Amino acid sequence: MTLPTNALLAETRKRIVPPRTTPPPAPAPRAAVPPLAPGALPGLGHAAALLRDPLGFLGSLARHGGVVRIRLGPRTVCVVTDARLVHTLLVALAHDCPRGAVQDTLKTAFGDGLLMSEGQAHRDRRRIIQPAFGPDRMAGYLAVMHQVTEERAGRWRPGQVLDVAKEMNHLALEIVTRSLFDARLSEDATLAFHRALPDLVKGQIVQSLYPHPALARLPLPVNRRFDAAVRVLNRVVDQAVNGRPGTALPDQRGTLPALLRAATDPATGRPLTEADVRSEAITMFGAGTETVSTTLTWLLDELLRHPEVEARVLAELDEHLPAGTTPTPEALARLTYTRSVTQEVVRLHAPNAFLMRTARVPVDLGPYRIPAGTELLYSLTALHRDPLRYDDPSSFRPERWQDGGGLGRPSFLPFGAGKHKCIGEAFAWAELTVAAAAILRRWRPVAVPGARAREVVWTTVQAHGLRVRLAPRGSAAPSATASASAPAGRAVVPAGAAVPVGPDRPHSGGCPLTGTRPRPGAPAAVPLPRPPAELRAAADRHADWAVRHGLLAPTELPDYRAYALHELIGHAFPRARGTELDLLVDMLGWFTVLDDRFDGPPGRRPAEAHALVDPLISALDGDARPAAPGDLLLTAWQELWERQRRSTSPAWRARAAREWRACLATFPAEAEHRARGTVPALGLADTMRLRRHGSCVYPFMNILERVHGADAPAALHAEPALHRLRANTADAATLINDLYSLEREERQSAAAFNTVLTLQRVRGCTRSRAVRAVRTRVSALHRENERLRRDLARRHPAGRWYLDGTRELVAGVQAWTSTSDRYLVPGDRAR
């Protein structure tokens, strides 16, 4: 039966409209206010926790909610900890939440380029630049990447110690310059660029945290350095875009600058200005250099830690990218395992520590209501280490990416998402693979012990401290690294050889006090841990350096070289190479020349001692006044101090300056005692305090960190037990020195500071009893230090290399003093 039209409509309405008796739907729940993270301090909020451990703090917030409020001084910032909500922020809310304070800092410096622009301006600029990163350009870029890396790696030499972060910075900058700009930067411009980047990054983060933008205009040191870095980067980019002053421009057709200059601004219909071109060029230099170079550094570090992964990568390269062939997009697509490795490096070491957005209108983010004006912060590093998204997130496991595993959005956001997603993503993935392949095919990096990459967090998570020794691919491991393969905690030099043994047995090196001194030219007590030719070359370079600085006359060299100072460094620092080896030998030689000066009048006349030493101490305090004519020790010292400080942390420089100051101050103190005639009455404790610092062992313990390319952990340095270990190390080395120098010092006209002589005076004992007491004390120090090392290594395993280095230092002193001519009495050398 067919219903009439009205009846049909009524029946249909019954099916659509619920009966009036049905209750209305419940109102939607009100959006929640994000919870406040615990631990805020009065006035500071969470700023102290964020600065102390940025990644640890940001990673800890996820347990409190998907969005968590933190306070940075007077400001409240919402941290988005849930990956899905971050994806929503970057995609669905991109229009309502433009870039935040961190990017605004750069916007004032570099203009409204692709990295900083928003809305229609961003879309217009992205359409202009997109062809530079089109698929049709990739084959050409791959050839340039390969060529640049081959050229740079071809300049390295076997045995060279490479500062990986620095070298990867140079490589990434050259790839960007050659690929996108078809230009070459001068060496000065390259160095200026890399020196400016840290000040730019630090200024960016500090200025973004200012409570008021006006503070960025104050003449504060951080602001001045930031402004200077901006000027430097502008000059470098001008050279890449326009060529050097006074030179013809190269043919730049097809380059990024040519693409920009040929475009018109859709908003005005006019060509882009040179300011627009510079702004985009700076964007490419900044975005295409630091993050890629940091990731390359982490990639090499992870391959060093996982040789089985490196072996699989090399096997895949052999199969799909044979040596000598130029990479193609098709070849890269076949490197599936290598891609998994690079993805895992990017996940574990996401370069962006944190980024920011600002809600310009009220927005809902999941269950949370975000008021207008709220700053939103998210950390890709924390998101990629979220245990809810990744099993065992702190482990390096490339297999998690096999068969597409873990790749699903939104948990993996290395290049962002939405309209602001990095335009150079494909370029960056290709660069990582091509550069790593070219390096690994030619070289086998070998880790320098204790010089592994460590995280340093600003706006990016930088990799600092990784240093490797290069071996040609396919060669055996360098002999110099044999000691690095010793089990952790085991002495490279046998512990028994490190100190004189009991009073009734001659120790292995032979002591002049026992009549068992080895014949001239006899082998050292501990085998040299490197080819003798390498140490002899360092000794030759040092002799040239000492004569050039006027520290020695050529006629003095034969007697001076008989000291064999280079062998002391060789024993005490078995892993020092290249410039670090030269620095150590020059330091020891300079100190020896200074020490010998005090065998003369300055050692007995306090005024002369102060005149000699005070300018040296002033140089440590930043007094860079030029040395007076003829003040050759000061001139050489100023150079040495600058070489020591280069590429070291502020904490290391402060500690080194403090301990050099204590060392140098002992010379006037000893002169005062001699002038007053108080040396004979000086007690054992006072003698040991003077000798402990005056022996120069503390500064050389600091150089352990300089050689290894990394500071020992701060928590280890804070341990009272380490202070005890360092004091014992200095005492043991000093006492060994006193045993071997005793006979020479007994014949000096000036009163000598020697522990054996002090014991004879204080205890009224014979010379042999005093000698036995000193040797017994050295053995006791050795036993105590081994106990301290075990305890400290258990609590601070990352600092084991430093603890072992103190053992090697004492062993080196023992090995050298038993064979060197330094402590022969006058006339004995001719026998």
Side-chain angles (χ1 to χ4, degrees):
M1 179 180 68
T2 302
L3 290 173
T5 301
N6 290 341
L8 179 62
L9 290 175
E11 184 65 25
T12 303
R13 190 176 295 114
K14 289 179 184 178
R15 296 176 183 174
I16 297 175
V17 180
R20 292 182 181 276
T21 57
T22 302
R30 294 183 60 185
V33 176
L36 179 67
L41 300 176
L44 292 176
H46 301 90
L50 180 63
L51 292 174
R52 183 171 57 249
D53 182 12
L55 298 182
F57 174 70
L58 293 173
S60 71
L61 297 178
R63 70 172 71 102
H64 303 296
V67 180
V68 181
R69 287 179 296 137
I70 63 171
R71 291 195 177 125
L72 303 177
R75 297 162 56 186
T76 297
V77 175
C78 285
V79 181
V80 188
T81 66
D82 183 274
R84 290 190 177 87
L85 296 184
V86 171
H87 192 267
T88 299
L89 175 67
L90 300 181
V91 179
L93 299 179
H95 177 72
D96 294 331
C97 298
R99 299 180 188 275
V102 174
Q103 287 89 339
D104 287 345
T105 302
L106 292 183
K107 184 175 180 179
T108 61
F110 299 139
D112 200 13
L114 183 67
L115 187 63
M116 280 71 75
S117 59
E118 294 287 346
Q120 188 62 44
H122 176 82
R123 288 192 291 273
D124 291 342
R125 193 60 58 85
R126 191 179 182 97
R127 278 196 290 268
I128 292 171
I129 296 174
Q130 187 66 57
F133 295 96
D136 57 315
R137 299 285 186 99
M138 190 54 65
Y141 289 155
L142 294 179
V144 175
M145 294 170 186
H146 178 72
Q147 181 181 357
V148 170
T149 310
E150 285 286 346
E151 290 174 0
R152 190 153 200 96
R155 294 195 290 269
W156 303 340
R157 292 293 176 263
Q160 177 181 348
V161 174
L162 209 66
D163 182 330
V164 177
K166 179 180 178 181
E167 196 67 22
M168 294 304 102
N169 262 313
H170 283 266
L171 175 62
L173 178 61
E174 192 171 357
I175 287 175
V176 167
T177 307
R178 297 263 293 273
S179 299
L180 298 180
F181 297 88
D182 193 21
R184 292 176 184 263
L185 294 176
S186 67
E187 188 65 21
D188 288 344
T190 300
L191 292 173
F193 180 87
H194 292 301
R195 291 193 190 105
L197 267 183
D199 288 332
L200 183 78
V201 173
K202 292 174 186 177
Q204 179 189 12
I205 181 62
V206 171
Q207 291 187 11
S208 70
L209 295 176
Y210 283 153
H212 193 282
L215 292 176
R217 297 191 292 271
L218 295 179
L220 302 174
V222 66
N223 294 340
R224 292 200 303 270
R225 289 192 293 270
F226 177 79
D227 293 340
V230 170
R231 291 192 294 271
V232 167
L233 263 63
N234 273 292
R235 287 198 299 270
V236 172
V237 169
D238 283 343
Q239 185 182 119
V241 172
N242 301 317
R244 298 183 186 181
T247 62
L249 286 175
D251 180 6
Q252 290 191 327
R253 287 175 295 180
T255 65
L256 180 63
L259 194 68
L260 292 167
R261 287 176 175 133
T264 57
D265 186 340
T268 64
R270 293 193 294 270
L272 299 183
T273 66
E274 284 302 305
D276 293 327
V277 175
R278 181 189 293 109
S279 177
E280 301 306 343
I282 290 178
T283 296
M284 298 305 158
F285 270 88
T289 300
E290 186 186 13
T291 54
V292 172
S293 66
T294 297
T295 304
L296 275 171
T297 303
W298 284 119
L299 174 59
L300 292 178
D301 185 73
E302 291 295 350
L303 293 180
L304 287 170
R305 297 175 190 272
H306 301 88
E308 73 286 355
V309 174
E310 181 190 43
R312 284 191 63 181
V313 169
L314 287 167
E316 187 175 67
L317 292 175
D318 289 339
E319 181 179 0
H320 299 298
L321 192 61
T325 60
T326 300
T328 64
E330 295 75 21
L332 293 192
R334 292 192 291 269
L335 301 177
T336 56
Y337 183 74
T338 304
R339 178 59 180 259
S340 296
V341 171
T342 57
Q343 286 173 326
E344 181 68 351
V345 171
V346 170
R347 180 200 68 81
L348 186 56
H349 304 289
N352 298 111
F354 62 87
L355 296 165
M356 296 183 76
R357 294 289 187 268
T358 301
R360 61 184 182 86
V361 296
V363 296
D364 289 333
L365 198 54
Y368 304 104
R369 185 67 170 172
I370 309 299
T374 301
E375 293 178 289
L376 296 149
L377 181 150
Y378 62 97
S379 169
L380 293 181
T381 311
L383 292 176
H384 291 172
R385 298 177 183 178
D386 185 351
L388 295 179
R389 302 289 176 186
Y390 298 96
D391 293 334
D392 194 12
S394 61
S395 295
F396 180 74
R397 290 171 46 196
E399 62 274 11
R400 75 172 82 239
W401 300 97
Q402 297 293 289
D403 301 322
L407 194 57
R409 303 291 191 197
S411 62
F412 188 56
L413 303 168
F415 294 91
K419 67 178 185 177
H420 287 291
K421 183 181 179 182
C422 177
I423 197 171
E425 177 178 8
F427 185 98
W429 284 122
E431 184 179 357
L432 290 172
T433 303
V434 171
I439 291 169
L440 293 174
R441 281 199 176 285
R442 184 185 289 261
W443 297 106
R444 183 170 54 80
V446 180
V448 173
R452 306 308 294 264
R454 65 184 188 278
E455 291 182 340
V456 176
V457 183
W458 289 99
T459 50
T460 56
V461 185
Q462 300 169 6
H464 284 199
L466 178 61
R467 300 171 74 236
V468 299
R469 181 166 289 105
L470 297 171
R473 178 59 63 183
S475 68
S479 60
T481 63
S483 60
S485 63
R490 182 178 298 171
V492 176
V493 178
V499 294
V501 294
D504 300 323
R505 290 165 45 205
H507 43 82
S508 59
C511 177
L513 304 177
T514 66
T516 58
R517 181 176 179 80
R519 66 186 184 280
V526 182
L528 293 179
R530 57 167 61 72
E534 186 175 348
L535 282 177
R536 287 196 298 270
D540 292 341
R541 289 192 295 270
H542 170 66
D544 292 341
W545 180 86
V547 171
R548 187 170 67 252
H549 282 278
L551 300 178
L552 295 169
T555 56
E556 297 174 299
L557 281 178
D559 285 348
Y560 176 79
R561 296 191 71 150
Y563 296 166
L565 298 177
H566 61 288
E567 292 185 4
L568 170 53
I569 296 302
H571 289 301
F573 296 88
R575 284 168 287 280
R577 292 292 187 278
T579 57
E580 306 297 346
L581 180 61
D582 289 341
L583 171 63
L584 284 161
V585 178
D586 289 347
M587 280 175 54
L588 183 59
W590 176 87
F591 185 78
T592 300
V593 172
L594 174 68
D595 188 53
D596 284 349
R597 291 282 185 93
F598 286 88
D599 289 342
R604 300 183 297 275
R605 300 170 185 170
E608 291 186 28
H610 278 288
L612 195 57
V613 167
D614 288 353
L616 305 175
I617 294 176
S618 295
L620 296 169
D621 297 328
D623 181 0
R625 64 182 179 83
D631 198 346
L632 303 175
L633 268 172
L634 177 57
T635 302
W637 172 242
Q638 288 171 334
E639 180 203 298
L640 277 176
W641 179 233
E642 177 57 32
R643 286 163 62 189
Q644 291 175 67
R645 297 171 70 246
R646 199 172 297 154
S647 302
T648 55
S649 68
W652 187 95
R653 293 195 293 270
R655 186 168 62 252
R658 181 172 64 250
E659 291 175 353
W660 267 119
R661 195 176 295 114
C663 171
L664 295 172
T666 61
F667 289 106
E670 289 179 354
E672 293 277 358
H673 283 295
R674 292 191 185 102
R676 294 199 302 265
T678 55
V679 178
L682 204 61
L684 181 62
D686 290 333
T687 300
M688 283 306 304
R689 273 194 292 271
L690 276 175
R691 300 289 292 126
R692 177 181 298 160
H693 290 285
S695 62
C696 198
V697 176
Y698 273 104
F700 275 89
M701 278 191 281
N702 287 327
I703 296 293
L704 282 170
E705 296 169 287
R706 180 76 170 78
V707 168
H708 285 272
D711 287 9
L716 175 61
H717 271 299
E719 286 270 11
L722 182 72
H723 300 172
R724 178 71 176 174
L725 174 69
R726 281 162 53 90
N728 288 353
T729 300
D731 287 352
T734 298
L735 292 173
I736 293 169
N737 181 283
D738 284 354
L739 287 171
Y740 285 94
S741 64
L742 175 61
E743 191 171 350
R744 181 186 180 190
E745 291 176 342
E746 282 180 318
R747 302 190 185 190
Q748 291 179 183
S749 57
F753 287 84
N754 186 292
T755 316
V756 176
L757 300 178
T758 301
L759 279 173
Q760 286 184 258
R761 290 194 304 268
V762 171
R763 297 183 180 177
C765 63
T766 64
R767 184 174 184 266
S768 60
R769 286 175 63 89
V771 167
R772 285 199 299 273
V774 169
R775 294 175 66 184
T776 300
R777 176 59 179 157
V778 173
S779 296
L781 290 171
H782 169 67
R783 290 192 298 272
E784 183 180 6
N785 273 2
E786 288 305 305
R787 178 182 59 76
L788 291 169
R789 287 189 189 96
R790 286 194 299 272
D791 293 344
L792 288 168
R794 186 170 58 253
R795 294 197 299 274
H796 305 280
R800 188 185 295 275
W801 59 268
Y802 182 85
L803 303 173
D804 289 344
T806 61
R807 180 195 293 112
E808 293 168 350
L809 184 56
V810 178
V813 171
Q814 164 65 15
W816 173 77
T817 50
S818 66
T819 57
S820 171
D821 284 357
R822 167 71 173 161
Y823 300 116
L824 287 180
V825 297
D828 282 357
R829 193 173 295 123
R831 292 178 187 174

